[in-house]
Amino acid sequence: MQKKLLHLMLLKYFQKKYSASISLLCLLMSIFCFGLRSVAQSKLKVATAQFPVSGDVHKNADYIKKFMREAALQKADVVHFSEASLTGYPPMDIPSFANYDWNSLSTETKDIMALAKELSIWVILGSAHYVDADVKPTNCLYIISNKGEIVDRYDKSMLTDGDNSDTSFYSPGNHITIININGFKCGFLICYDSCFPEMYNIYRHKGVKIVFHSFYNAHHKGRTILDDVIPAEIRVRASDNLMWVVANNSSGDYSSWPTCIARPDGSLESLQKGVPGILYREFPDKATTTEVRSWTHNNKSMVLPPKEVYHNGVPSNKPRALNRKSLPFESNAK
């Protein structure tokens, strides 16, 4: 409707200034140029990265900045990092957030934001968000725009529970996050969220086509059931919801599975496990693989229950938890 109105306005403008034939020619040229611009805006190149996440925020930041530059050189529009990629993941990389150096985390985050602006690239950054002195931080993804601004934050909603699990270190989130990047509606999830079909179902009902799902399944002593379960879940969530799932992981030894991208048909492309690197994908992308005969499967979405709860645990209602555009920590935070 807006395009039709614009075309009518242009036609009236040209008719006042030129003859009928010239007016029509000018209108056709305007429509053509507008169409070219629309096509140019409808492409998205995604880079999803893996590296051996550690408890050293500065070392992690060096990897992140290196891969940001590499992705920018490859003309990527967005670069995606794993769960806790900047902070490290407790208790594997850091013992806890007690006496954590939040100032260093914020300083490195600001540097990453500045580099995002310099390179004109979107960054999906795995980190932690300080809430209050008496509240556990959230396990989060900062969505940093190509202008170097935190435009939103996703907080991990489904926390693992038990000894030395997520609930020992983090507060849960209670919201989904949807961002339009170059005309593509994108959603965001973290690790254990994959075990809950409802976390994908709500995004499907919101029209999301690309989900950036950041994981941390690394630094194990050897194989676990996660080696088999998580890649299977990624495939199923993609095929059940007719989405692309961009899923990355830490490459720290032992890493349960490598960074990968699943298409809506459930086909999977992966990096080499345990080796730092970047996997790229350009959109629009074919919904099915060309390597074998393939098709999509689930053209009927699940019902969206009106009283579904999209988190476990008790989310915080503190101001810093509710402000989804704030830095990881600010010196005036109490």
Side-chain angles (χ1 to χ4, degrees):
M1 182 63 73
Q2 290 180 338
K3 288 183 181 178
K4 289 181 179 178
L5 182 60
L6 176 61
H7 296 159
L8 287 172
M9 291 172 63
L10 286 170
L11 181 58
K12 288 181 180 180
Y13 171 78
F14 293 140
Q15 284 175 339
K16 288 180 181 179
K17 301 197 69 172
Y18 308 109
S19 66
S21 58
I22 295 178
S23 296
L24 180 59
L25 179 61
C26 290
L27 177 62
L28 290 173
M29 289 177 64
S30 298
I31 294 172
F32 178 72
C33 292
F34 184 85
L36 284 179
R37 189 165 65 250
S38 298
V39 170
Q41 291 174 342
S42 64
K43 292 185 178 180
L44 180 69
K45 186 170 183 179
V46 167
T48 184
Q50 65 181 31
F51 66 88
V53 175
S54 71
D56 186 333
V57 65
H58 304 295
K59 185 176 180 180
N60 292 336
D62 287 343
Y63 267 113
I64 289 165
K65 294 169 192 174
K66 171 190 172 183
F67 281 142
M68 287 173 65
R69 292 186 177 94
E70 183 176 323
L73 285 173
Q74 295 300 318
K75 309 297 183 185
D77 298 294
V78 54
V79 58
H80 169 222
F81 294 100
S82 59
E83 177 183 19
S85 56
L86 186 55
T87 54
Y89 186 72
M92 299 293 198
D93 302 314
I94 56 176
S96 72
F97 286 103
N99 302 313
Y100 187 75
D101 187 355
W102 291 101
N103 285 311
S104 289
L105 181 66
S106 275
T107 297
E108 290 291 3
T109 304
K110 289 176 184 176
D111 287 349
I112 290 166
M113 292 165 66
L115 185 58
K117 181 178 181 180
E118 177 187 331
L119 299 174
S120 189
I121 192 169
W122 288 73
V123 180
I124 303 167
L125 179 65
S127 189
H129 189 77
Y130 179 90
V131 177
D132 207 330
D134 59 351
V135 178
K136 296 168 187 172
T138 63
N139 180 336
C140 72
L141 295 176
Y142 291 107
I143 295 90
I144 301 169
S145 75
N146 56 1
K147 296 181 180 179
E149 300 169 345
I150 296 174
V151 295
D152 210 336
R153 187 183 76 243
Y154 172 72
D155 297 315
K156 187 176 184 179
S157 298
M158 299 299 187
L159 302 183
T160 58
D161 52 11
D163 294 337
N164 284 329
S165 63
D166 284 344
T167 53
S168 300
F169 307 105
Y170 296 108
S171 298
N174 64 350
H175 62 271
I176 62 171
T177 300
I178 298 173
I179 298 289
N180 191 305
I181 305 177
N182 288 13
F184 292 85
K185 192 176 277 191
C186 303
F188 307 86
L189 292 171
I190 298 176
C191 207
Y192 192 48
D193 290 334
S194 69
C195 295
F196 300 86
E198 61 267 31
M199 299 304 295
Y200 273 88
N201 186 41
I202 189 170
Y203 277 126
R204 181 175 185 177
H205 279 268
K206 297 290 185 181
V208 167
K209 288 299 181 183
I210 302 171
V211 171
F212 290 96
H213 201 138
S214 297
F215 288 81
Y216 184 108
N217 294 150
H219 289 164
H220 296 293
K221 294 180 180 179
R223 276 184 57 84
T224 72
I225 194 62
L226 296 176
D227 291 48
D228 301 316
V229 168
I230 300 303
E233 284 185 344
I234 291 167
R235 288 176 180 267
V236 170
R237 299 294 173 251
S239 61
D240 270 0
N241 296 282
L242 302 181
M243 292 176 178
W244 283 261
V245 178
V246 181
N248 57 19
N249 190 18
S250 167
S251 63
D253 192 36
Y254 172 85
S255 177
S256 296
W257 50 273
T259 289
C260 58
I261 299 175
R263 282 190 169 104
D265 66 344
S267 59
L268 201 69
E269 180 186 2
S270 304
L271 290 177
Q272 183 178 346
K273 185 166 71 171
V275 178
I278 300 179
L279 181 61
Y280 294 95
R281 180 63 57 87
E282 293 189 38
F283 295 90
D285 180 40
K286 291 183 178 180
T288 59
T289 181
T290 58
E291 295 183 0
V292 296
R293 182 168 172 261
S294 184
W295 55 91
T296 56
H297 311 277
N298 189 346
N299 295 312
K300 179 181 177 294
S301 60
M302 293 189 297
V303 171
L304 193 64
K307 295 184 179 180
E308 184 65 83
V309 177
Y310 296 96
H311 61 84
N312 57 18
V314 181
S316 172
N317 61 1
K318 294 278 189 176
R320 279 190 49 79
L322 300 177
N323 181 357
R324 287 156 54 180
K325 297 183 179 181
S326 56
L327 288 164
F329 178 77
E330 291 158 319
S331 57
N332 60 352
K334 300 295 183 181

